Amino acid sequence: MQPPSAEPSTRIAWVTAKIDWFLSNFSYYLVPAAIFVFSLVALTLEHSIYDTNDNRTLPFAVVADKNGQTPSEALAALASAPAVRFHDTRLAETPFWFRFTVPPSNTPQSVELPSRHAQEISCWNAAGLAPVGAATRSGTSGILQSVKSGFALGLGVHAQPRDLLCRAHFSGPARITVEAWPESELALSHLAYHHATGVLEGGLLTLAVLTLMTALINRDARYLLFAIWLVGNLRLGGITMGFDTQWLERAIPNEWMAMTRKLTIAAYYIVTYTLFAQFMRTELSRVGYAWLLRDGGGGGRGMGGGGNVSGGGALPPTTSSPTCCSPGSCAQGSSVWAVLGCGSPAPAPAWCCWSWPSS
């Protein structure tokens, strides 16, 4: 009896190898190249749907309100002040008065006061000192409204120049500028701002979730730390762009913002040090720079100088093999153990095993 021919199985293996070759090259080379070419064509041949180029920076006179001036007193002080295009507050917490003139316009016009550090602002018509609006981070009135990370005055159509006086209070390294916009262009700029913040928030949160899933699948706490670090980058980006006043589409109370920003920056520094110490400890040791970790964080074992919570450190215990939770192991674990349910009366489940990095 003749043995079965090996030809069919050889043919199947050949076809499978060709399919794998095609899928691999398609994914690794063809798709990235197509994305690159398409993006290059879009950037060079097409205009942005958010193109805005009609804003004009208006000159204004500015003085600091050091004595609680009234609007009429501020007008007298501003009469001798030079006109400028911008003014840095240099962290001053005192209010500032500024006066500017808006050219006439036969189309609806707005004036943006874009500083993200502005906390409250009130404006008057310079002629007659009739109030036109007021705004804080909690609400607005009159023709003042919240736009992007600052405020804007909706002036509408006006055949004559508008002479306006404003008083604003800032917190932080503010730069005062005044920009005139056609109303439609400002609305488009507002959409572009929210598009940019949405892309940043959605992209980093998605990456953080995927990194967290990687941490759970690989049982490696370093990826959990990396996910936390990504969220910290998002919050720092929010401080820079001015959208840190919200989180997950919920407004953060204005009275919390000063402390929230301080805690965010402090926590980001600690997490950044801990993260890079975990990922780079071995590499720094190989090239002779392990002293950077010793000098920076007490022997390279975290900010507190120890490899575990009982020693005051922020890092998990460093072992070369997987360590599993047990009711008594949390005394030498880290805060990550508590998140995973350590210390419970019953033995910890199998998913509580993690491979901690070697020192």
Side-chain angles (χ1 to χ4, degrees), residues 78-227:
L78 287 166
S80 57
V84 296
R85 294 283 179 174
F86 65 88
H87 179 79
D88 293 321
T89 64
R90 294 182 174 85
L91 301 176
E93 295 289 336
T94 54
F96 285 84
W97 291 94
F98 52 99
R99 180 181 182 179
F100 55 92
T101 300
V102 185
S105 174
N106 55 7
T107 59
Q109 191 174 35
S110 295
V111 172
E112 184 187 9
L113 309 170
S115 176
R116 65 181 182 277
H117 298 285
Q119 299 301 306
E120 58 183 48
I121 184 168
S122 301
C123 291
W124 296 260
N125 280 318
L129 296 179
V132 296
T136 66
R137 291 299 176 183
S138 302
T140 61
S141 63
I143 63 173
L144 269 167
Q145 56 187 327
S146 296
V147 171
K148 296 187 281 188
S149 58
F151 301 101
L153 291 152
L155 301 180
V157 178
H158 52 101
Q160 301 297 324
R162 293 288 299 270
D163 191 9
L164 297 170
L165 170 71
C166 292
R167 180 182 185 269
H169 175 260
F170 301 89
S171 178
R175 168 169 286 193
I176 305 174
T177 55
V178 180
E179 297 180 2
W181 289 84
E183 198 171 274
S184 58
E185 294 286 310
L186 180 59
L188 193 60
S189 175
H190 195 191
L191 285 176
Y193 171 81
H194 284 291
H195 172 74
T197 58
V199 168
L200 181 63
E201 187 172 33
L204 284 179
L205 286 179
T206 300
L207 188 56
V209 171
L210 290 175
T211 306
L212 179 60
M213 292 173 62
T214 302
L216 295 173
I217 293 170
N218 294 333
R219 299 189 178 115
D220 191 338
R222 293 178 301 177
Y223 291 100
L224 172 63
L225 197 59
F226 186 62

Side-chain angles (χ1 to χ4, degrees), residues 187-326:
L188 193 60
S189 175
H190 195 191
L191 285 176
Y193 171 81
H194 284 291
H195 172 74
T197 58
V199 168
L200 181 63
E201 187 172 33
L204 284 179
L205 286 179
T206 300
L207 188 56
V209 171
L210 290 175
T211 306
L212 179 60
M213 292 173 62
T214 302
L216 295 173
I217 293 170
N218 294 333
R219 299 189 178 115
D220 191 338
R222 293 178 301 177
Y223 291 100
L224 172 63
L225 197 59
F226 186 62
I228 296 170
W229 184 73
L230 288 173
V231 175
N233 277 280
L234 172 61
R235 294 303 300 168
L236 280 190
I239 292 174
T240 301
M241 295 180 65
F243 67 88
D244 65 316
T245 55
Q246 58 179 330
W247 177 244
L248 300 179
E249 300 181 354
R250 271 63 176 175
I252 300 175
N254 189 54
E255 57 271 18
W256 295 5
M257 287 311 306
M259 183 57 66
T260 299
R261 285 168 177 159
K262 293 176 183 177
L263 292 175
T264 297
I265 295 171
Y268 181 79
Y269 167 77
I270 296 172
V271 171
T272 299
Y273 175 84
T274 308
L275 174 69
F276 283 94
Q278 283 291 290
F279 276 103
M280 301 179 67
R281 178 177 289 122
T282 303
E283 287 73 13
L284 288 174
S285 299
R286 287 174 180 170
V287 297
Y289 283 94
W291 58 269
L292 288 174
L293 294 178
R294 288 196 298 270
D295 294 346
R301 291 185 178 274
M303 296 301 292
N308 50 55
V309 168
S310 60
L315 301 182
T318 53
T319 64
S320 57
S321 60
T323 303
C324 291
C325 296
S326 65

